[in-house]
Amino acid sequence: MVSFIITALFAVFFFKNYRSSIISSTHKKVFQLLETLVERDKADLVNEIFEKRETALRLHLRQMKKTESVDGIALYDNGGLLLLATESYQSQKKLADHIVNGLRINPEQRYISTEQSDKYIYIQAVSVINDIMGFILIDYNLRSVKKELSDVQLL
């Protein structure tokens, strides 16, 4: 009986740690996906913001939005005011000052909000050589991630 209890406790401990590591790994992968999505087009976005090429910016955002689970993307100027957003995406008109100021201090920093349990709000400076041209916000839906994680819930 004692060995059964010890084995059961060990199994519970093991599966909880296993689940935690899968959750952590999944969140890292989502973060890397969002970071790569921005980094891939960053040089073009910088040039298009600088040259005020709205049509090209819209095309870029539309292309980026085709990524699975991306619900919307918004682009802000270097003061944090909305420049444009993908169709039907209701974004905030201005980024919070503490986010803009934090990204100005360190343009390499990334901001992720997990306040809403069903999505990530990812914000990154669009800059070249520490000269910030604007900010990009990506609204990433976690439904598919949560479905995968629910398949892992063993307890």
Side-chain angles (χ1 to χ4, degrees), residues 126-142:
V126 179
S127 62
V128 60
I129 312 170
N130 289 335
D131 187 17
I132 296 175
M133 300 303 293
F135 303 94
I136 190 163
L137 176 150
I138 302 174
D139 184 332
Y140 186 86
N141 191 313
L142 292 172

Side-chain angles (χ1 to χ4, degrees), residues 12 25 27 29 33 53 79 89 103 107:
V12 167
S25 172
H27 288 288
K29 286 177 186 174
L33 168 73
R53 294 176 28 214
Y89 180 64
L103 291 171

Side-chain angles (χ1 to χ4, degrees), residues 140-153:
Y140 186 86
N141 191 313
L142 292 172
R143 269 179 268 153
S144 61
V145 171
K146 287 192 179 247
K147 183 185 178 321
E148 286 178 35
L149 292 177
S150 71
D151 294 342
V152 174
Q153 287 184 358

Side-chain angles (χ1 to χ4, degrees), residues 11-12 15-16 26 63 71 76 85 102 107 115 119 128 135 147:
V12 167
F15 287 126
K16 283 189 182 272
T26 302
Q63 192 67 28
D71 283 346
Y76 296 85
E115 289 175 14
K119 63 174 57 184
V128 60
F135 303 94
K147 183 185 178 321

Side-chain angles (χ1 to χ4, degrees), residues 7-149:
T7 304
L9 288 174
F10 176 75
V12 167
F13 176 76
F14 174 76
F15 287 126
K16 283 189 182 272
N17 284 340
Y18 175 71
R19 185 172 178 273
S20 292
S21 70
I22 287 181
I23 290 170
S24 176
S25 172
T26 302
H27 288 288
K28 283 179 187 175
K29 286 177 186 174
V30 169
F31 183 82
Q32 287 174 333
L33 168 73
L34 297 174
E35 188 173 47
T36 302
L37 186 61
V38 174
E39 290 299 321
R40 179 190 68 191
D41 292 334
K42 193 163 139 178
D44 291 333
L45 291 170
V46 165
N47 289 330
E48 291 161 3
I49 292 170
F50 180 75
E51 296 168 0
K52 296 179 171 62
R53 294 176 28 214
E54 189 175 321
T55 304
L57 285 168
R58 282 193 190 284
L59 265 159
H60 257 107
L61 295 188
R62 199 173 297 139
Q63 192 67 28
M64 292 169 80
K65 188 181 177 295
K66 289 180 181 177
T67 304
E68 182 182 349
S69 298
V70 171
D71 283 346
I73 302 177
L75 195 60
Y76 296 85
D77 67 12
N78 62 0
L81 296 174
L82 182 65
L83 286 175
L84 57 106
T86 53
E87 296 85 10
S88 75
Y89 180 64
Q90 300 297 317
S91 61
Q92 50 200 5
K93 300 296 182 203
K94 184 178 185 331
L95 290 175
D97 289 335
H98 72 278
I99 295 172
V100 171
N101 292 335
L103 291 171
R104 278 191 184 133
I105 291 168
N106 183 3
E108 297 304 313
Q109 180 179 332
R110 308 301 187 250
Y111 176 83
I112 262 198
S113 170
T114 56
E115 289 175 14
Q116 297 177 342
S117 64
D118 62 337
K119 63 174 57 184
Y120 273 163
I121 301 296
Y122 175 89
I123 304 172
Q124 178 180 336
V126 179
S127 62
V128 60
I129 312 170
N130 289 335
D131 187 17
I132 296 175
M133 300 303 293
F135 303 94
I136 190 163
L137 176 150
I138 302 174
D139 184 332
Y140 186 86
N141 191 313
L142 292 172
R143 269 179 268 153
S144 61
V145 171
K146 287 192 179 247
K147 183 185 178 321
E148 286 178 35
L149 292 177

